Amino acid sequence: MAKIWLRLILCFLVFQTFPGNMRASVHIEPYFGKILNFSKASQTESSVKYERDLDGAMYGARLGYGLLGFSAGVDFASSQFDAELKKPIGQVTSWKLSGQSVLSSVEASYFGLFINYDLPFLLRLWATYFPSVRYEFGSGDPLQNDNDLWKGTGFSLGIGYTGLPFFSLNYELRSFSFDEEYESSSDSTKELSIEHDSVEHLVGISIPMNFF
C-alpha cells in the first residue's frame, strides 16, 4: 500500500517540470480540528476487548504541490485527547468502585502522504495514507503505563467545503491499526498478537494556499 501511494505522488510531482499552463504550485494547508467524542479506540488483553471513547483536539499541516485541481504531498499532525475506558462495563464499574481512574490523556503524532482534488460546487476530497501513527499514553490509564506507546499505520478520507473566503470547512474520517507497543516500564517494544485499533471522526477548518 505504501509503495502505491509513493508512486502516485512521485508521478504527480513530475508534472511540475512541464512548461506553460502545466506549471505546478506549492500547496500549504495548515489545519485545526476537533476529535468528536464518538471516536473510539479498542484493544484486546487476555481475551478481553476494551473500548475507549476519544475526545480532544488536533492541529497539523499538509505540504506539497498543486496542479490542475490536484494537490499531493505530506501531512504532519499532532493531537491531544482524553481516552476514557467505557467497556466492558463490568470491569469499568469495578475499577471505579475501587477508586481507580479510567480516564487518561493521550498525545498522538501522525505522518502521512495525501492526494487532494478540488471538485466543482466548492467541494474538495482528499485521501491520506499514514505510514506512521503513534499514541503516547499519560497517567490515569488502568491498562497502559505513563509514556507507553502504540505504533501503527492507517488511512483517512476527507471532504471540505470551500465557500468561505480563505477557509475550508472539513470533515475527516481516520482509521488506524497498531501492531507494536512500546512499554516504558521495561523499555522494550513488542509485537501485538492482536492489533489495537482506533477510529477518529474529525471536524475542523483549514487554510488551503497555493503559491506559483
Side-chain angles (χ1 to χ4, degrees), residues 40-53 84-92 95 143-144 150 176-177 194-199:
K40 295 187 180 296
S42 64
Q43 70 186 99
T44 300
E45 305 286 351
S46 302
S47 300
V48 179
K49 185 176 182 179
Y50 298 90
E51 294 186 4
R52 295 178 173 85
D53 286 353
E84 184 177 5
L85 275 159
K86 290 290 190 177
K87 293 181 180 179
I89 295 174
Q91 181 61 65
V92 172
W95 281 327
L143 296 174
Q144 304 291 158
W150 290 2
F176 306 115
S177 294
I194 300 178
E195 292 182 344
H196 299 351
D197 304 298
S198 73
V199 175

Side-chain angles (χ1 to χ4, degrees), residues 57-103:
M58 179 182 296
Y59 54 91
R62 286 179 277 269
L63 309 172
Y65 287 97
L67 180 70
L68 299 177
F70 286 94
S71 57
V74 295
D75 185 323
F76 299 95
S78 297
S79 65
Q80 295 180 326
F81 53 85
D82 292 332
E84 184 177 5
L85 275 159
K86 290 290 190 177
K87 293 181 180 179
I89 295 174
Q91 181 61 65
V92 172
T93 300
S94 175
W95 281 327
K96 288 182 176 179
L97 289 174
S98 66
Q100 189 167 359
S101 173
V102 295
L103 178 66

Side-chain angles (χ1 to χ4, degrees), residues 124-200:
R124 55 199 291 260
L125 294 173
W126 68 91
T128 308
Y129 168 70
F130 294 93
S132 176
V133 180
R134 295 190 173 196
Y135 280 8
E136 181 176 354
F137 286 81
S139 59
D141 194 281
L143 296 174
Q144 304 291 158
N145 294 317
D146 194 8
N147 297 324
D148 279 0
L149 284 173
W150 290 2
K151 302 177 182 181
T153 61
F155 67 92
S156 77
L157 297 173
I159 185 170
Y161 171 71
T162 58
L164 299 176
F166 306 111
F167 292 100
S168 174
L169 301 178
N170 305 322
Y171 166 76
E172 189 171 2
L173 174 65
R174 297 186 171 198
S175 178
F176 306 115
S177 294
F178 303 90
D179 55 8
E180 287 186 352
E181 181 181 357
Y182 169 77
E183 295 181 336
S184 59
S185 59
S186 60
D187 191 24
S188 62
T189 298
K190 68 176 183 179
E191 299 286 335
L192 297 171
S193 57
I194 300 178
E195 292 182 344
H196 299 351
D197 304 298
S198 73
V199 175
E200 298 175 359

